[in-house]
Amino acid sequence: MRSTKPLRISVGERDVSALLVQPPAARWLLVLAHGAGAGMRHPFLEALAGALAAEGVATLRYQFPYAEAGSRRPDPRPLLLATVRAAVAAGKECAGGLPLLAGGKSMGGRMTSLAASEAPLALVRGIVFVGFPLHPAGRPGTERADHLSAVSVPLLFLQGTRDALAPPALLRPVCAALGPRATLVELEGADHGFRVTAAHGGARRDVHGELARAVGAFAERVAPTP
């Protein structure tokens, strides 16, 4: 049975909440950030953490300071990046020698890669994007991916084919340009929140399991364990 442990992470003079979910036979630890509109206890992330545990991936979910304060307005970018770095450092302490991954849902994943583009995240073997937000709503473009060329570790993109913030026609060339460091896994019929149409399985489909299995396969490739 997996265990769940609440933690606190210091970010400068602030503290934020975190949750360590660890299966008994964990093989990796993923430091997992939330998206812009919901905190770490959002049902999607709760379910994803459970599915990841079934694949041997422990998770350390954490709050950004604005979410901790109950606000819906994201913090300035320097504070978001400082929080990513503090969470990765906390993950290193929690990992107990397990290989470390980092990433997050939407904005959380992008902030993780932005932090890594400025300076490597210590011991992180790969970055996982759960719905990379390639552009703002209604403003197609690829500028948000420009920094990815400065990230040295492998990148996993988990994307729905109906994602309005990262249409396949825009994201596929971005991943191709990154070469073998980028792995793109597309979930047919899923939107940015990984909701799928009835024609593609709807509520019957185990989307969280699909995501978790893709993370496990990525982890096995970039950080193989005995």
Side-chain angles (χ1 to χ4, degrees), residues 9-12 14 16 31 33-38 62-68 71-88 103 105-116 118 121 144:
I9 297 174
S10 295
V11 185
R14 301 170 172 84
V16 295
V31 180
H34 61 78
Y62 62 96
Q63 298 275 72
F64 288 109
Y66 77 94
E68 186 77 358
S71 172
R72 295 185 63 83
R73 182 177 181 179
D75 303 303
R77 182 178 292 185
L79 180 54
L80 294 173
L81 300 188
T83 306
V84 169
R85 293 192 175 281
V88 168
K105 177 73 179 76
S106 194
M107 182 200 75
R110 188 167 74 96
M111 290 303 113
T112 302
S113 59
L114 279 166
E118 294 184 357
L121 299 173
R144 282 184 172 181

Side-chain angles (χ1 to χ4, degrees), residues 5-224:
K5 180 181 179 182
L7 300 171
R8 303 292 295 178
I9 297 174
S10 295
V11 185
E13 297 180 353
R14 301 170 172 84
D15 275 2
V16 295
S17 303
L19 286 171
L20 176 65
V21 176
Q22 192 155 11
R27 300 175 62 194
W28 305 277
L29 174 65
L30 170 60
V31 180
L32 185 63
H34 61 78
M40 68 178 183
R41 292 187 180 275
H42 188 275
F44 175 85
L45 288 182
E46 292 272 7
L48 181 58
L52 286 164
E55 297 296 322
V57 183
T59 52
L60 179 65
R61 307 196 322 269
Y62 62 96
Q63 298 275 72
F64 288 109
Y66 77 94
E68 186 77 358
S71 172
R72 295 185 63 83
R73 182 177 181 179
D75 303 303
R77 182 178 292 185
L79 180 54
L80 294 173
L81 300 188
T83 306
V84 169
R85 293 192 175 281
V88 168
K92 183 172 62 174
E93 294 298 316
C94 294
L98 294 176
L100 204 60
L101 306 171
K105 177 73 179 76
S106 194
M107 182 200 75
R110 188 167 74 96
M111 290 303 113
T112 302
S113 59
L114 279 166
S117 73
E118 294 184 357
L121 299 173
L123 300 183
V124 168
R125 306 284 288 276
I127 293 176
V128 176
F129 300 112
V130 186
F132 185 81
L134 186 59
H135 60 74
R139 294 162 53 192
T142 62
E143 292 82 4
R144 282 184 172 181
D146 289 349
H147 70 281
L148 296 175
S149 61
V151 179
S152 60
V153 298
L155 307 170
L156 174 63
F157 293 81
L158 303 172
Q159 303 289 150
T161 58
R162 295 191 305 115
D163 190 336
L165 304 187
L170 290 180
L171 185 61
R172 288 170 185 166
V174 167
C175 292
L178 291 168
R181 285 188 301 113
T183 299
L184 174 60
V185 175
E186 294 182 335
L187 276 71
E188 193 66 33
D191 65 9
H192 189 67
F194 293 93
R195 295 172 291 268
V196 297
T197 62
H200 291 93
R204 301 185 309 276
R205 185 166 162 191
D206 182 16
V207 172
H208 300 97
E210 292 179 41
L211 294 169
R213 287 188 289 274
V215 173
F218 175 73
E220 188 68 73
R221 188 169 70 254
V222 304

